[in-house]
Short mmCIF file of all heavy atoms in Angstrom, two decimals:
data_model
loop_
_atom_site.label_atom_id
_atom_site.label_comp_id
_atom_site.label_asym_id
_atom_site.label_seq_id
_atom_site.Cartn_x
_atom_site.Cartn_y
_atom_site.Cartn_z
N VAL W 1 0.85 -1.19 0.00
CA VAL W 1 0.00 0.00 0.00
C VAL W 1 0.89 1.24 0.00
O VAL W 1 1.82 1.35 0.81
CB VAL W 1 -0.93 0.00 1.23
CG1 VAL W 1 -1.74 1.29 1.31
CG2 VAL W 1 -1.84 -1.21 1.20
N GLU W 2 0.60 2.16 -0.90
CA GLU W 2 1.38 3.40 -0.97
C GLU W 2 1.12 4.24 0.27
O GLU W 2 -0.02 4.51 0.63
CB GLU W 2 0.99 4.18 -2.22
CG GLU W 2 1.81 5.43 -2.39
CD GLU W 2 1.49 6.20 -3.67
OE1 GLU W 2 1.30 5.56 -4.73
OE2 GLU W 2 1.42 7.43 -3.58
N LEU W 3 2.22 4.65 0.93
CA LEU W 3 2.13 5.47 2.13
C LEU W 3 2.39 6.95 1.83
O LEU W 3 1.75 7.83 2.41
CB LEU W 3 3.13 5.00 3.18
CG LEU W 3 2.95 3.56 3.67
CD1 LEU W 3 4.06 3.20 4.64
CD2 LEU W 3 1.58 3.39 4.32
N GLU W 4 3.35 7.19 0.96
CA GLU W 4 3.70 8.58 0.65
C GLU W 4 4.37 8.63 -0.71
O GLU W 4 4.99 7.67 -1.15
CB GLU W 4 4.66 9.12 1.72
CG GLU W 4 4.81 10.61 1.70
CD GLU W 4 5.44 11.16 2.98
OE1 GLU W 4 5.67 10.41 3.95
OE2 GLU W 4 5.68 12.38 3.00
N ARG W 5 4.22 9.79 -1.37
CA ARG W 5 4.82 10.00 -2.69
C ARG W 5 5.45 11.39 -2.73
O ARG W 5 4.84 12.36 -2.30
CB ARG W 5 3.74 9.87 -3.78
CG ARG W 5 4.24 10.11 -5.20
CD ARG W 5 3.10 9.96 -6.21
NE ARG W 5 2.62 8.60 -6.23
CZ ARG W 5 2.95 7.70 -7.16
NH1 ARG W 5 3.76 8.05 -8.15
NH2 ARG W 5 2.47 6.48 -7.12
N TRP W 6 6.68 11.43 -3.24
CA TRP W 6 7.39 12.69 -3.41
C TRP W 6 7.56 12.93 -4.89
O TRP W 6 8.09 12.08 -5.61
CB TRP W 6 8.77 12.66 -2.75
CG TRP W 6 8.72 12.54 -1.25
CD1 TRP W 6 8.77 13.56 -0.34
CD2 TRP W 6 8.63 11.34 -0.49
NE1 TRP W 6 8.71 13.07 0.93
CE2 TRP W 6 8.63 11.69 0.88
CE3 TRP W 6 8.53 9.99 -0.81
CZ2 TRP W 6 8.56 10.77 1.91
CZ3 TRP W 6 8.46 9.05 0.20
CH2 TRP W 6 8.46 9.46 1.54
N LYS W 7 7.14 14.08 -5.36
CA LYS W 7 7.26 14.45 -6.76
C LYS W 7 8.01 15.78 -6.82
O LYS W 7 7.66 16.72 -6.13
CB LYS W 7 5.88 14.57 -7.40
CG LYS W 7 5.90 14.71 -8.89
CD LYS W 7 4.50 14.63 -9.47
CE LYS W 7 4.56 14.77 -10.97
NZ LYS W 7 3.27 14.73 -11.60
N PHE W 8 9.04 15.84 -7.66
CA PHE W 8 9.91 17.01 -7.67
C PHE W 8 9.74 17.87 -8.90
O PHE W 8 10.25 18.98 -8.96
CB PHE W 8 11.36 16.56 -7.53
CG PHE W 8 11.59 15.82 -6.24
CD1 PHE W 8 11.53 14.44 -6.20
CD2 PHE W 8 11.81 16.50 -5.06
CE1 PHE W 8 11.70 13.75 -5.02
CE2 PHE W 8 11.98 15.83 -3.87
CZ PHE W 8 11.93 14.44 -3.84
N SER W 9 9.06 17.35 -9.91
CA SER W 9 8.84 18.11 -11.13
C SER W 9 7.55 17.61 -11.77
O SER W 9 7.19 16.44 -11.62
CB SER W 9 10.01 17.90 -12.10
OG SER W 9 9.74 18.49 -13.34
N ASP W 10 6.88 18.45 -12.49
CA ASP W 10 5.68 18.03 -13.21
C ASP W 10 6.04 17.24 -14.47
O ASP W 10 5.21 16.52 -14.99
CB ASP W 10 4.83 19.24 -13.59
CG ASP W 10 4.17 19.87 -12.38
OD1 ASP W 10 3.92 19.15 -11.39
OD2 ASP W 10 3.91 21.09 -12.42
N GLU W 11 7.27 17.38 -14.93
CA GLU W 11 7.71 16.71 -16.15
C GLU W 11 8.43 15.40 -15.81
O GLU W 11 9.39 15.38 -15.04
CB GLU W 11 8.65 17.63 -16.95
CG GLU W 11 8.96 17.14 -18.33
CD GLU W 11 7.74 17.01 -19.22
OE1 GLU W 11 6.88 17.92 -19.19
OE2 GLU W 11 7.63 16.00 -19.93
N GLU W 12 7.96 14.29 -16.37
CA GLU W 12 8.54 12.98 -16.13
C GLU W 12 10.00 12.93 -16.56
O GLU W 12 10.38 13.46 -17.59
CB GLU W 12 7.73 11.93 -16.90
CG GLU W 12 8.13 10.52 -16.62
CD GLU W 12 7.25 9.54 -17.35
OE1 GLU W 12 6.01 9.70 -17.30
OE2 GLU W 12 7.79 8.62 -17.97
N ASP W 13 10.83 12.26 -15.77
CA ASP W 13 12.26 12.05 -16.01
C ASP W 13 12.99 13.34 -16.36
O ASP W 13 13.84 13.38 -17.24
CB ASP W 13 12.51 11.00 -17.09
CG ASP W 13 13.98 10.55 -17.13
OD1 ASP W 13 14.66 10.65 -16.08
OD2 ASP W 13 14.45 10.13 -18.18
N SER W 14 12.68 14.40 -15.63
CA SER W 14 13.42 15.64 -15.85
C SER W 14 14.62 15.73 -14.90
O SER W 14 15.69 16.16 -15.30
CB SER W 14 12.51 16.86 -15.69
OG SER W 14 11.92 16.87 -14.42
N TRP W 15 14.46 15.29 -13.66
CA TRP W 15 15.57 15.29 -12.70
C TRP W 15 16.43 14.04 -12.84
O TRP W 15 17.56 14.02 -12.42
CB TRP W 15 15.04 15.37 -11.28
CG TRP W 15 14.57 16.71 -10.84
CD1 TRP W 15 14.02 17.71 -11.60
CD2 TRP W 15 14.60 17.19 -9.51
NE1 TRP W 15 13.71 18.77 -10.82
CE2 TRP W 15 14.05 18.49 -9.52
CE3 TRP W 15 15.02 16.67 -8.30
CZ2 TRP W 15 13.92 19.26 -8.36
CZ3 TRP W 15 14.90 17.43 -7.17
CH2 TRP W 15 14.35 18.71 -7.20
N HIS W 16 15.89 12.96 -13.34
CA HIS W 16 16.53 11.63 -13.44
C HIS W 16 17.02 11.16 -12.07
O HIS W 16 18.21 10.91 -11.85
CB HIS W 16 17.65 11.62 -14.48
CG HIS W 16 18.02 10.22 -14.90
ND1 HIS W 16 17.22 9.48 -15.73
CD2 HIS W 16 19.07 9.44 -14.59
CE1 HIS W 16 17.78 8.30 -15.93
NE2 HIS W 16 18.89 8.25 -15.24
N ILE W 17 16.07 11.02 -11.15
CA ILE W 17 16.35 10.46 -9.83
C ILE W 17 16.59 8.96 -10.04
O ILE W 17 15.80 8.29 -10.69
CB ILE W 17 15.17 10.71 -8.88
CG1 ILE W 17 15.01 12.20 -8.65
CG2 ILE W 17 15.35 9.94 -7.57
CD1 ILE W 17 13.73 12.59 -7.96
N ASN W 18 17.71 8.44 -9.49
CA ASN W 18 18.05 7.05 -9.82
C ASN W 18 18.61 6.22 -8.68
O ASN W 18 18.85 5.04 -8.85
CB ASN W 18 19.05 7.04 -10.98
CG ASN W 18 20.29 7.81 -10.64
OD1 ASN W 18 21.01 7.47 -9.72
ND2 ASN W 18 20.52 8.90 -11.36
N SER W 19 18.86 6.79 -7.52
CA SER W 19 19.42 6.03 -6.42
C SER W 19 18.90 6.60 -5.11
O SER W 19 18.70 7.81 -4.99
CB SER W 19 20.96 6.11 -6.45
OG SER W 19 21.54 5.27 -5.48
N ILE W 20 18.68 5.71 -4.15
CA ILE W 20 18.20 6.14 -2.84
C ILE W 20 18.95 5.32 -1.80
O ILE W 20 19.26 4.15 -2.04
CB ILE W 20 16.66 5.98 -2.74
CG1 ILE W 20 16.12 6.68 -1.52
CG2 ILE W 20 16.23 4.54 -2.82
CD1 ILE W 20 14.61 6.91 -1.57
N GLU W 21 19.27 5.94 -0.66
CA GLU W 21 20.07 5.26 0.37
C GLU W 21 19.77 5.88 1.72
O GLU W 21 19.41 7.06 1.81
CB GLU W 21 21.56 5.41 0.04
CG GLU W 21 22.55 4.83 1.02
CD GLU W 21 22.59 3.32 1.03
OE1 GLU W 21 21.52 2.67 1.19
OE2 GLU W 21 23.69 2.76 0.89
N LYS W 22 19.93 5.09 2.77
CA LYS W 22 19.85 5.61 4.12
C LYS W 22 21.28 5.91 4.56
O LYS W 22 22.14 5.03 4.52
CB LYS W 22 19.19 4.62 5.07
CG LYS W 22 18.87 5.22 6.40
CD LYS W 22 17.93 4.38 7.20
CE LYS W 22 17.57 5.14 8.46
NZ LYS W 22 16.65 4.37 9.29
N TRP W 23 21.54 7.16 4.91
CA TRP W 23 22.90 7.61 5.23
C TRP W 23 22.85 8.50 6.47
O TRP W 23 22.21 9.55 6.45
CB TRP W 23 23.48 8.35 4.03
CG TRP W 23 24.84 8.92 4.19
CD1 TRP W 23 25.92 8.34 4.81
CD2 TRP W 23 25.30 10.18 3.71
NE1 TRP W 23 27.00 9.17 4.75
CE2 TRP W 23 26.65 10.31 4.07
CE3 TRP W 23 24.69 11.23 3.01
CZ2 TRP W 23 27.41 11.43 3.76
CZ3 TRP W 23 25.46 12.34 2.70
CH2 TRP W 23 26.79 12.43 3.07
N ASN W 24 23.46 8.04 7.55
CA ASN W 24 23.51 8.79 8.81
C ASN W 24 22.12 9.24 9.27
O ASN W 24 21.92 10.38 9.68
CB ASN W 24 24.45 10.00 8.68
CG ASN W 24 25.89 9.57 8.49
OD1 ASN W 24 26.34 8.62 9.13
ND2 ASN W 24 26.59 10.24 7.60
N GLY W 25 21.16 8.31 9.21
CA GLY W 25 19.81 8.58 9.68
C GLY W 25 18.95 9.37 8.72
O GLY W 25 17.80 9.67 9.01
#
């Protein structure tokens, strides 16, 4: 179940977000 969604631009693949990590909390 989707809990939360973050959107950074109205245009798809404009920022090219590609990696996510937990770093120092």
Side-chain angles (χ1 to χ4, degrees):
V1 175
E2 183 177 319
L3 299 176
E4 195 164 355
R5 178 180 295 260
W6 294 265
K7 190 172 180 181
F8 300 95
S9 173
D10 290 332
E11 190 61 43
E12 186 177 312
D13 193 26
S14 57
W15 283 30
H16 198 74
I17 295 169
N18 58 62
S19 186
I20 192 164
E21 177 72 306
K22 190 165 186 180
W23 178 40
N24 294 319

